[in-house]
Amino acid sequence: MKRCTRCVLPETFPGIQFDAEGVCQYCRRMPTPERRAEQRAALLARFEALVAEVRDLPGYHGLMSWSGGKDSTYTLWLLTEVYGLRVLGFVFDNGFISPAAIENIKTVSERLGVDTVTIRPRFDLMRKLFADSMVPGVYPARLMERASGICNTCMGIAKGLGVKLALEYEVPMLVYGWSPGQIPLASAFMPENRRMLQAMAEASSAPLNRLSGGLTSVYFPSAALIERASRLPVNIGPMAFIDYTEERALEVVKGLGWRRPEDTDPNSSNCLLNNYGNLLHVRQWGYHPYVMELAGLVREGCMAREEALARLEEAPPVAAVAEVAEKLGVPAPEVIEGQWFANSSPGSPGRGASDEA
């Protein structure tokens, strides 16, 4: 499979174009390191000004969307230990969190002295949503460029609940542990307004309400809650503008007692669903759902291209995929060790759950 010679985007990625040197358009459009440094410095200044503004306020200063993975745990450490903020950790339990990740949340929250709130929606509904979201067409193709259908469903609910909690607790910051490759730099510090917040809630909840018959509406802020909120949170992804390397993040979180789960894939340190979602996405779309993030990390200099390639080419373990499929109540797609991308082409899903739904 042909890939960009600078990052790792493949020829199967939607709209990809390579120049004569095999470089993709995303790499060609990348601002100079000096310009990126200026952009990050400007965002850091805005963030630190907000921190100075809220630090002496009563209540929680921020709501941290905390998966128990290394990046969100590292971000939580930044907020509490580096910036001295009082943070409420919000954990969304989708029914597939690794037991090791749950233990990490317990250990780190005690070490940092952080309050946590966990929401675990009824599993029969989550199972239906995950199974139904495997069908191509549930989400726009542009959303599939960064995540599988399963992850889009999970993130949609988690973000909806996070915004709802932030409004209810009146916290000034809603913080995510996105890596520098997961979000555009321009989205790393985004103040909300009521119109934008309502539009986001409606757009994010629409596909889930269609799948659930409206049952998921309770996971999103109502128009009344948005309207009466005294303060709207600023959405922040600090790792996009604060110096980040995976090695540094791991060093910090391990010092807090965090341990990497042994039952997750190399691109997740908290979720057991990833193996299944990644495999199905490759079969349906012809490229790995983490390829955009990993390509971004390579462009930002946060990860070596060889490391990104190794993560993309590692096939999911057969037993893990079968276990998740059984829990979801869907057929397990075939996994051929060493042939991760075999017979994969965009728009040609393999025989699996999506064909049966």
Side-chain angles (χ1 to χ4, degrees):
M1 177 183 294
K2 181 179 179 181
R3 293 184 182 274
C4 174
T5 54
R6 288 187 189 171
C7 68
V8 291
L9 288 181
E11 59 188 340
T12 51
F13 193 78
I16 194 75
Q17 298 174 10
F18 299 115
D19 63 16
E21 298 177 346
V23 178
C24 74
Q25 71 267 39
Y26 298 96
C27 287
R28 292 197 304 270
R29 296 170 185 166
M30 186 75 173
T32 64
E34 293 77 16
R35 177 54 182 156
R36 295 291 281 179
E38 291 174 2
Q39 293 171 327
R40 285 194 291 269
L43 289 173
L44 178 60
R46 294 178 68 187
F47 170 67
E48 292 185 339
L50 179 60
V51 167
E53 175 189 336
V54 306
R55 187 183 281 125
D56 294 330
L57 294 178
Y60 297 111
H61 304 133
L63 180 76
M64 178 72 222
S65 187
W66 190 19
S67 69
K70 72 176 189 314
D71 289 336
S72 61
T73 301
Y74 177 65
T75 305
L76 181 63
W77 171 83
L78 280 173
L79 297 176
T80 57
E81 300 300 294
V82 176
Y83 288 99
L85 298 176
R86 190 163 47 251
V87 181
L88 175 63
F90 160 54
V91 179
F92 172 57
D93 184 351
N94 64 8
F96 289 89
I97 296 181
S98 166
I102 293 175
E103 188 61 30
N104 282 333
I105 289 170
K106 180 180 178 181
T107 299
V108 173
S109 63
E110 291 296 326
R111 184 69 62 88
L112 293 178
V114 172
D115 295 341
T116 62
V117 57
T118 299
I119 297 180
R120 189 181 193 273
R122 46 186 271 204
F123 185 70
D124 64 319
L125 177 58
M126 294 305 299
R127 180 171 56 194
K128 170 179 167 51
L129 290 172
F130 289 142
D132 289 351
S133 63
M134 299 172 192
V135 180
V138 171
Y139 294 102
R142 61 180 177 78
L143 292 182
M144 304 301 290
E145 294 177 4
R146 288 186 175 271
S148 68
I150 288 174
C151 281
N152 273 299
T153 289
C154 191
M155 289 188 295
I157 295 175
K159 290 178 72 174
L161 284 168
V163 171
K164 186 176 181 180
L165 285 173
L167 293 173
E168 290 173 345
Y169 280 95
E170 298 185 332
V171 298
M173 296 188 293
L174 178 52
V175 187
Y176 299 94
W178 306 125
S179 77
Q182 285 183 296
I183 58 169
L185 193 55
S187 301
F189 189 96
M190 293 189 66
E192 293 281 12
N193 64 57
R194 296 181 204 280
R195 181 179 59 80
M196 288 175 54
L197 196 54
Q198 184 62 43
M200 179 281 297
E202 291 174 358
S204 298
S205 63
L208 295 167
N209 282 330
R210 285 195 296 270
L211 293 178
S212 69
L215 294 177
T216 52
S217 60
V218 297
Y219 304 141
F220 294 85
S222 65
L225 176 59
I226 294 172
E227 187 60 33
R228 70 171 181 263
S230 61
R231 181 168 187 164
L232 302 181
V234 180
N235 289 286
I236 305 173
M239 287 192 296
F241 52 80
I242 292 176
D243 288 342
Y244 168 87
T245 65
E246 189 172 67
E247 292 76 12
R248 172 59 177 160
L250 284 170
E251 177 186 3
V252 167
V253 299
K254 287 180 179 178
L256 299 173
W258 185 94
R259 296 293 178 265
R260 180 181 286 280
E262 297 180 355
D263 51 1
T264 59
D265 72 282
N267 296 296
S268 172
S269 50
N270 68 292
C271 185
L272 303 176
L273 263 176
N274 251 32
N275 280 313
Y276 190 99
N278 293 346
L279 174 63
L280 202 64
H281 193 280
V282 169
R283 294 289 189 262
Q284 292 175 342
W285 297 88
Y287 62 92
H288 198 293
Y290 277 82
V291 73
M292 191 62 153
E293 175 187 348
L294 293 171
L297 288 171
V298 172
R299 284 189 217 104
E300 293 284 354
C302 298
M303 180 179 291
R305 185 173 185 271
E306 293 72 21
E307 169 65 15
L309 286 172
R311 295 193 184 188
L312 292 170
E313 293 170 359
E314 181 175 332
V318 176
V321 171
E323 184 176 347
V324 168
E326 181 179 4
K327 191 172 181 180
L328 285 173
V330 297
E334 182 182 10
V335 182
I336 305 173
E337 296 289 1
Q339 298 184 44
W340 176 216
F341 285 96
N343 301 319
S344 297
S345 60
S348 301
R351 292 298 300 172
S354 62
D355 302 288
E356 306 297 331

